[in-house]
Amino acid sequence: PQASRMGSVLTQLLLLWLLGTQPEATIRVFVVPHSHLDVGWLHTAQESMQAYVTKVHTSVVEELTRNKQHRFIIVEQEFSRLWWDGVASAKQKLQVRELVGQGCLAFVLGGQVMHDEAVTHVDDQILQLTEGHGFLYETFGIRPQFSWQVDSFGASATTPTLFALAGFNAHLISRIDYDLKEAMQKDQFMWRGSRSLLAQQEIFTHVLDENGYCSHLPTTCLKGFYWNETAVFPDPPWDGMDPNKTVPVTLSNVQHYADTLSYNVRRRAPWFLTRYMLWPWGCDRQFFSASVQFANMDHLMGYINKHISQFGVLMVYATLGEYFQTLYPEHEPVQVRDHHDFLPYSSDTFHSWTGFYTSRSGLKGLASLLYARESMFTRFMLAPHRFLDRAWALQQLQKLRWTVSEVQHHEAITGTHTPRVSDMFVGRLNNGMHGVQKLMSAIIQDKFPAHTGLEPGGYFAVIYNPPAWTVTTIITLTVDFPEVSVTDESGHPVPAQVQNSKEMPSVYDLLVLTMIPGLSYRYYVIKPSRRAKGDTQETEAMMANTKQFGRRPRRHDSSVGRRLAHVENDGYTAYLDKDTNLTHSIWERQNNQTIQVTLVEDEVNGDEDQGPISDNYVFTSSETSKSAWETVGMEILVTEIQQYFYSDPAYTIYSRLARGPLGADGELLGHRIEQEYRVGPLELNREAILRTSTNLITGQVLYSDNNGYQTQRRAYKHHENNIARNYYPMTQSAFIQDRQSRLVLLSEQAHGVSRQGSGQMEVMLHQRLLVKQQWALSVNVTLNDTSVVHSVLWLLLGPSTLTRDLGQRSGVALQHRPVVLLRELSETARIHPRPQHQEAVTLPPSVHLQILSIPGWTYNSNHTKLMQNLWKDNRAEAKAESRRVLLRLRHLYEVDEDPVRSQPVTVNLQSMLRGLGSVVSVEERSLTGTWDISTLHRWRWPIISVLSGSSSHPSLHPGGFPITIHPKEIRTFFIYFEER
């Protein structure tokens, strides 16, 4: 290993000498070989591994071992891990370690995948990055320091913040709006992704030019510089010879190739601020015959380098790190960019990539599954417990972590893949969830009643609250008897309500109002009521009084709104029109504001011959909307409104106006309207849209979130393609406001959101498209999505001070609702569980417990010892460290968002975690856990100072437990607990 590091240093010195000895006018081109390997797009992961991915890894390792002047970067660890664990021989693994040590093979970005930046949640972005970084650190002892975020459809301001927290020194992006690209490709800048953190987490950002990450030459007649052009699916050719249409470099044509390439270099050179040019050499599915590819590159680059005086170009192989390491000492000060993002992304006037905000909405709803299960497992393992196979348990969690991580890919959660790939993602998520459900059942086994004879029948429910706050909410349980008694863990009766089930006609929904402390359980026994007349000892759940309204046809006359029914809670009154069964309006009483909610369909064009289209990626509005029903039925059940829209397709809206108990926890429940939308299957070429209208004077501004982390101000932009280019991703929240009031929409999954008029906000819920476009049909990237989408939205309207306070916490509460586990009572069950002491884990309301998990990593958190173990090849002896708990805390508020909630918060970790066990030590780590924060020293690029704010906040003192979290900070820790 020492020799490998020395070899890498010598190679770098040689490279610098070679670059420095050339005339000043010579353009120095850093050629970065790579292959863009999508984890599911046109083909499943298994098909890609079989057809070409295995060959990429195997042939690249062989070629780099043969010629140490060559370089290659690997970006996504999903395929690397599959190759390493299932294909690579012991010899190949040794070669990879040597190549990494010598700097010939480099891992950049390093996440499980290259994640999408528009519709992924910040928690899931961090998860996939952590999984990839953990694999690389555990296997090679390396920590990626440069990003390669080159194919996500737009760039979020959350990403540079996360990459800075992970220890990156430079950030690479590519897909930004076409009308910004020409100017920005000449730019390198410091991006301060958070307006609260400012310079603390800024990152040097480079925008790839118009060629993106490929070495295409669009201005020439040559196809490009690829000599292993076409991968064959599903199986590679039997003789190993892939189709190749590109003419190889020969003595007779090398001059032509060199003229073409050098011309392109000189054309692109003015876009770079220094004499050093970055040239990504590769594209989708390249280098699966690395010897052929490198042989042609060597011939061409060697010819150019022998004739520097003729071409004015010097070309060298480099990793991305070598490019930035050469750039860093010589770079002139750059401008600072503020926290604004590059969303939405449009590739031209009529191709606004905003359709994927909604594409395959069902998959988006499955993409976040882990949060509660991680802390349940951690709590169980830290407490005295009966035997549980740790290896099996970690395997179940790990499987789901990897699956959730791969779904964050920029062709996965976006819905821009083939139906077969969609089946792969959904199948893996379901399988992963099935394994984790088995684990959860094992964890709560001793919480269920056991033994002593009672009459059979009924259920035992365990409810777990994953956020570190007390939550008051209504849980819904399904029972098969209408007369029910409910008691808590102490045997006390619990008020509840029974109503006909929304799911099946033969069962019932049991609604229970519950209050659960942070990371804690509640237990309920549900039995058929056997109360005789006059018996007052047993409390029976109330059967909901149901008011049914027959079907009403759609009407257009002026008589609507004359006969109204109403439902109300602490903050709102919903008025229902008895003549149409539609919601007439919702009145927010404190500020005297009203909302109208309508559900419409847009008919869109999917035929390219008829003009601009909507497809999996892009959205083009026809600007014609129609009502999405013929008749409407309605039922009112105390605080719940059920509206059934009959047509082809059918729609259902369930609205709940719950009443919360007094106190801060009940305030969240009583100041929202919970709505569940069931939409589909749609007719072909339809998009279902929810529209809300208010009397707020909002002007032309919408606010929507970046990945559930921060909010962006979206001023209306006037374009030729107005509607589509003013759609934005809403991962968790969006709002409009005037000087007094704010309307907030919260969602548990990503949607597209827009503001097309003052006081108005709309959300695209679902789409089904029959795309008639040659490319889409040839690869089957179409969107004939016949599913029924279940979307949950919470609506808050009221004084800005109140909704600003409640909005952040309500968003977390919606994302992480309590987990309900139900089991039938048997004859041998006793009625109440053994009393179990549990101490809550509670954080201040402005701080969110972002993760609490046992990762199961085997690496030593001391970097020196880790490297010593790797050099000695002691990996086989390493075991998963179950005492090491990963804790991540996030401040929810911006620095100036709220006079109280935006203050720094001091938390004593030892006291906070007392309910889990005795904390022995704490280490503060980088975002993905691979760096000890005290040893992480990122590069300080020179800037032209135009923005204020450069202070950094103090880290945890060694051995200390109190920490202070500032607005928008995300801080990551390893917590070590005393063994019991």
Side-chain angles (χ1 to χ4, degrees):
Q2 188 70 31
S4 295
R5 293 200 308 279
M6 182 61 70
S8 179
V9 171
L10 291 175
T11 300
Q12 185 66 21
L13 290 174
L14 180 63
L15 175 66
L16 292 172
W17 175 82
L18 185 62
L19 292 168
T21 57
Q22 303 307 315
E24 188 67 28
T26 302
I27 303 167
R28 282 80 166 169
V29 181
F30 285 71
V31 172
V32 179
H34 74 99
S35 185
H36 189 73
L37 309 176
D38 286 310
V39 182
W41 174 34
L42 306 181
H43 307 280
T44 66
Q46 298 92 323
E47 289 170 342
S48 296
M49 283 292 294
Q50 189 168 333
Y52 71 95
V53 172
T54 294
K55 293 168 67 176
V56 170
H57 286 79
T58 301
S59 67
V60 163
V61 169
E62 180 182 343
E63 186 60 25
L64 265 59
T65 300
R66 190 185 65 79
N67 187 338
K68 298 298 172 63
Q69 298 304 311
H70 290 158
R71 296 288 185 271
F72 198 80
I73 62 168
I74 294 177
V75 180
E76 300 177 282
Q77 301 320 308
E78 172 90 358
F79 284 137
S80 297
R81 193 196 300 263
L82 290 173
W83 181 81
W84 183 265
D85 291 340
V87 178
S89 66
K91 178 183 177 182
Q92 288 169 325
K93 290 182 177 181
L94 179 61
Q95 290 172 333
V96 170
R97 289 197 171 95
E98 290 176 348
L99 292 170
V100 170
Q102 293 161 354
C104 302
L105 181 65
F107 293 93
V108 300
L109 186 61
Q112 190 82 348
V113 296
M114 187 191 301
H115 68 262
D116 168 69
E117 299 190 42
V119 296
T120 47
H121 194 275
V122 62
D123 294 358
D124 299 319
Q125 291 183 2
I126 296 171
L127 169 70
Q128 73 83 22
L129 201 63
T130 301
E131 287 302 305
H133 284 196
F135 166 71
L136 292 175
Y137 195 49
E138 202 165 56
T139 309
F140 307 110
I142 60 170
R143 300 171 286 202
Q145 297 180 43
F146 307 98
S147 98
W148 184 268
Q149 200 69 18
V150 298
D151 199 30
S152 51
F153 315 139
S156 165
T158 301
T159 306
T161 301
L162 297 186
F163 287 172
L165 289 167
F168 286 16
N169 288 312
H171 178 36
L172 203 68
I173 64 175
S174 182
R175 289 188 186 268
I176 62 175
D177 226 47
Y178 74 96
D179 50 7
L180 292 175
K181 185 77 168 183
E182 185 175 354
M184 297 298 292
Q185 69 187 2
K186 303 174 185 177
D187 236 347
Q188 293 169 329
F189 53 90
M190 293 298 288
W191 195 355
R192 294 182 176 174
S194 165
R195 67 183 180 89
S196 294
L197 298 176
L198 294 174
Q200 183 188 6
Q201 300 303 344
E202 67 189 8
I203 192 167
F204 180 83
T205 303
H206 174 102
V207 181
L208 286 178
D209 62 41
E210 64 188 25
N211 298 275
Y213 61 84
C214 292
S215 42
H216 287 309
L217 296 179
T219 59
T220 75
C221 61
L222 286 177
K223 179 78 174 175
F225 297 115
Y226 311 129
W227 291 276
N228 49 194
E229 186 175 326
T230 307
V232 179
F233 290 86
D235 299 308
W238 65 270
D239 59 359
M241 301 299 292
D242 292 280
N244 186 351
K245 300 176 185 175
T246 305
V247 177
V249 181
T250 63
L251 289 174
S252 62
N253 65 18
V254 67
Q255 179 71 40
H256 177 52
Y257 267 114
D259 287 340
T260 304
L261 193 152
S262 60
Y263 169 79
N264 197 263
V265 166
R266 290 192 298 274
R267 178 176 167 271
R268 292 159 70 173
W271 300 337
F272 291 81
L273 300 180
T274 69
R275 54 187 173 162
Y276 305 124
M277 175 185 291
L278 175 64
W279 183 295
W281 199 316
C283 201
D284 295 30
R285 302 182 294 279
Q286 293 300 319
F287 283 88
F288 54 83
S289 181
S291 60
V292 173
Q293 181 69 24
F294 274 117
N296 283 276
M297 293 169 70
D298 287 346
H299 193 169
L300 176 56
M301 290 169 58
Y303 184 84
I304 290 174
N305 289 343
K306 286 179 183 177
H307 301 85
I308 292 176
S309 59
Q310 175 186 345
F311 297 111
V313 173
L314 172 69
M315 306 189 77
V316 294
Y317 288 112
T319 63
L320 187 64
E322 287 172 335
Y323 169 72
F324 281 122
Q325 286 162 2
T326 306
L327 199 66
Y328 177 58
E330 300 188 26
H331 211 285
E332 296 294 320
V334 294
Q335 296 285 349
V336 175
R337 180 180 173 85
D338 65 14
H339 65 281
H340 289 98
D341 62 12
F342 293 97
L343 290 167
Y345 162 60
S346 296
S347 51
D348 58 52
T349 302
F350 288 106
H351 285 84
S352 183
W353 294 43
T354 55
F356 78 87
Y357 301 161
T358 306
S359 296
R360 301 202 188 280
S361 186
L363 179 61
K364 290 175 170 63
L366 290 173
S368 295
L369 297 166
L370 269 166
Y371 180 78
R373 283 81 184 172
E374 293 279 17
S375 61
M376 281 180 73
F377 176 67
T378 303
R379 176 144 214 166
F380 174 80
M381 293 301 293
L382 293 175
H385 59 272
R386 56 187 167 67
F387 173 76
L388 178 71
D389 187 334
R390 291 183 183 181
W392 172 82
L394 283 170
Q395 186 182 45
Q396 305 315 304
L397 284 169
Q398 191 65 68
K399 188 185 300 182
L400 187 57
R401 288 171 190 160
W402 292 351
T403 303
V404 171
S405 294
E406 77 176 6
V407 173
Q408 310 313 311
H409 186 267
H410 58 275
E411 299 280 8
I413 193 171
T414 52
T416 54
H417 46 264
T418 64
R420 189 169 69 257
V421 171
S422 184
D423 292 341
M424 178 196 77
F425 288 131
V426 172
R428 288 188 178 188
L429 286 169
N430 287 334
N431 288 339
M433 199 61 209
H434 180 68
V436 170
Q437 284 299 103
K438 283 185 177 179
L439 173 59
M440 296 302 103
S441 296
I443 285 174
I444 63 171
Q445 184 68 39
D446 57 354
K447 301 181 185 300
F448 283 111
H451 54 92
T452 80
L454 274 174
E455 293 183 40
Y459 301 92
F460 185 78
V462 177
I463 319 297
Y464 177 71
N465 173 39
W469 308 313
T470 297
V471 167
T472 300
T473 191
I474 293 173
I475 59 167
T476 302
L477 307 169
T478 300
V479 297
D480 50 14
F481 36 84
E483 297 176 336
V484 185
S485 71
V486 184
T487 52
D488 62 17
E489 53 260 50
S490 302
H492 299 135
V494 175
Q497 175 180 306
V498 182
Q499 60 193 44
N500 292 326
S501 173
K502 295 182 291 189
E503 306 294 340
M504 294 175 287
S506 58
V507 295
Y508 302 89
D509 288 341
L510 175 65
L511 279 58
V512 181
L513 178 66
T514 185
M515 183 172 70
I516 318 177
L519 273 69
S520 298
Y521 292 91
R522 280 278 182 264
Y523 311 97
Y524 297 105
V525 175
I526 301 129
K527 297 188 303 169
S529 176
R530 304 210 182 338
R531 188 178 68 176
K533 288 187 177 180
D535 181 4
T536 58
Q537 297 300 310
E538 187 175 28
T539 303
E540 190 174 282
M542 178 187 71
M543 189 68 186
N545 179 26
T546 303
K547 297 179 182 177
Q548 294 185 329
F549 300 80
R551 289 194 190 187
R552 303 286 191 266
R554 190 166 70 231
R555 296 176 58 171
H556 303 284
D557 57 67
S558 59
S559 64
V560 297
R562 294 182 180 179
R563 299 191 310 128
L564 300 176
H566 74 277
V567 177
E568 64 182 28
N569 67 359
D570 302 329
Y572 309 95
T573 301
Y575 292 102
L576 295 312
D577 191 327
K578 295 180 182 180
D579 294 319
T580 63
N581 287 341
L582 299 176
T583 303
H584 175 270
S585 61
I586 299 170
W587 175 41
E588 186 276 315
R589 295 193 294 273
Q590 187 170 345
N591 264 24
N592 192 28
Q593 299 287 346
T594 58
I595 323 165
Q596 284 79 41
V597 180
T598 56
L599 194 62
V600 299
E601 280 187 8
D602 270 6
E603 183 174 359
V604 294
N605 174 43
D607 188 345
E608 194 172 42
D609 293 337
Q610 303 300 316
I613 64 169
S614 283
D615 62 18
N616 303 55
Y617 298 89
V618 304
F619 166 48
T620 305
S621 174
S622 64
E623 302 189 33
T624 57
S625 300
K626 68 172 188 176
S627 299
W629 66 90
E630 298 299 329
T631 61
V632 184
M634 180 171 67
E635 295 181 359
I636 298 177
L637 304 88
V638 190
T639 62
E640 187 170 296
I641 306 156
Q642 300 182 0
Q643 293 166 298
Y644 304 93
F645 296 77
Y646 297 97
S647 181
D648 186 15
Y651 296 79
T652 308
I653 302 176
Y654 301 108
S655 304
R656 178 181 291 161
L657 287 79
R659 296 176 183 271
L662 296 176
D665 304 314
E667 186 178 43
L668 286 178
L669 181 62
H671 281 86
R672 67 180 182 239
I673 297 174
E674 302 178 6
Q675 293 194 311
E676 179 184 347
Y677 292 83
R678 300 192 182 185
V679 180
L682 298 178
E683 292 182 50
L684 280 170
N685 293 325
R686 294 288 194 277
E687 293 168 325
I689 296 172
L690 168 72
R691 287 195 174 135
T692 60
S693 301
T694 70
N695 51 7
L696 300 182
I697 305 170
T698 61
Q700 295 192 331
V701 178
L702 166 76
Y703 298 83
S704 70
D705 69 318
N706 269 160
N707 315 108
Y709 174 66
Q710 60 189 1
T711 300
Q712 294 282 341
R713 183 180 185 272
R714 312 291 195 184
Y716 194 86
K717 297 175 182 176
H718 294 276
H719 298 281
E720 193 171 351
N721 189 13
N722 259 353
I723 295 178
R725 294 191 69 179
N726 281 285
Y727 254 83
Y728 295 91
M730 175 181 74
T731 307
Q732 183 173 298
S733 65
F735 65 86
I736 53 175
Q737 65 181 11
D738 61 15
R739 292 184 177 181
Q740 284 79 38
S741 302
R742 177 182 289 186
L743 169 64
V744 182
L745 289 179
L746 301 172
S747 175
E748 67 172 353
Q749 68 173 73
H751 295 286
V753 67
S754 185
R755 185 222 64 87
Q756 298 294 338
S758 181
Q760 183 263 354
M761 187 160 44
E762 64 181 51
V763 178
M764 189 180 294
L765 300 175
H766 194 13
Q767 53 189 178
R768 181 186 177 193
L769 308 169
L770 183 62
V771 180
K772 293 182 179 179
Q773 180 194 47
Q774 184 176 355
W775 173 83
L777 291 172
S778 69
V779 295
N780 199 24
V781 177
T782 55
L783 199 59
N784 188 8
D785 185 352
T786 58
S787 64
V788 177
V789 168
H790 296 213
S791 293
V792 177
L793 297 172
W794 288 0
L795 184 151
L796 287 72
L797 175 65
S800 296
T801 51
L802 178 66
T803 53
R804 188 173 57 212
D805 176 21
L806 300 183
Q808 293 283 7
R809 289 182 289 147
S810 296
V812 173
L814 174 55
Q815 291 281 132
H816 303 303
R817 289 180 286 179
V819 174
V820 178
L821 295 145
L822 203 62
R823 176 171 293 184
E824 289 188 13
L825 290 172
S826 65
E827 291 185 48
T828 58
R830 60 185 181 78
I831 195 64
H832 295 295
R834 294 180 294 275
Q836 296 184 15
H837 174 72
Q838 57 176 13
E839 187 171 343
V841 176
T842 305
L843 281 167
S846 54
V847 178
H848 171 43
L849 180 73
Q850 196 165 19
I851 193 66
L852 181 77
S853 75
I854 297 175
W857 295 316
T858 61
Y859 65 73
N860 194 312
S861 61
N862 181 298
H863 184 68
T864 302
K865 291 181 179 178
L866 166 72
M867 297 307 295
Q868 289 172 348
N869 289 336
L870 288 174
W871 296 337
K872 294 174 184 176
D873 201 24
N874 287 343
R875 291 172 303 281
E877 303 172 13
K879 293 182 180 179
E881 173 59 83
S882 59
R883 286 178 55 251
R884 175 169 53 196
V885 172
L886 175 66
L887 169 72
R888 190 176 292 116
L889 302 177
R890 170 160 64 96
H891 199 300
L892 292 173
Y893 292 81
E894 297 283 1
V895 69
D896 55 359
E897 187 174 353
D898 185 272
V900 176
R901 304 293 188 211
S902 293
Q903 297 302 312
V905 177
T906 299
V907 176
N908 187 302
L909 295 177
Q910 192 173 44
S911 300
M912 181 195 90
L913 298 171
R914 185 174 56 236
L916 302 180
S918 179
V919 176
V920 174
S921 63
V922 177
E923 299 173 5
E924 182 157 16
R925 308 293 293 187
S926 60
L927 183 74
T928 59
T930 56
W931 288 91
D932 180 330
I933 205 73
S934 65
T935 66
L936 176 57
H937 305 293
R938 294 172 57 239
W939 296 354
R940 300 179 66 87
W941 293 81
I943 63 170
I944 302 170
S945 184
V946 293
L947 294 176
S948 61
S950 59
S951 62
S952 62
H953 305 134
S955 295
L956 174 79
H957 293 295
F961 296 116
I963 60 160
T964 299
I965 305 176
H966 293 257
K968 281 299 166 190
E969 273 194 326
I970 301 174
R971 297 183 67 177
T972 303
F973 304 91
F974 287 166
I975 311 292
Y976 295 88
F977 287 86
E978 187 178 276
E979 291 213 49
R980 298 192 183 186

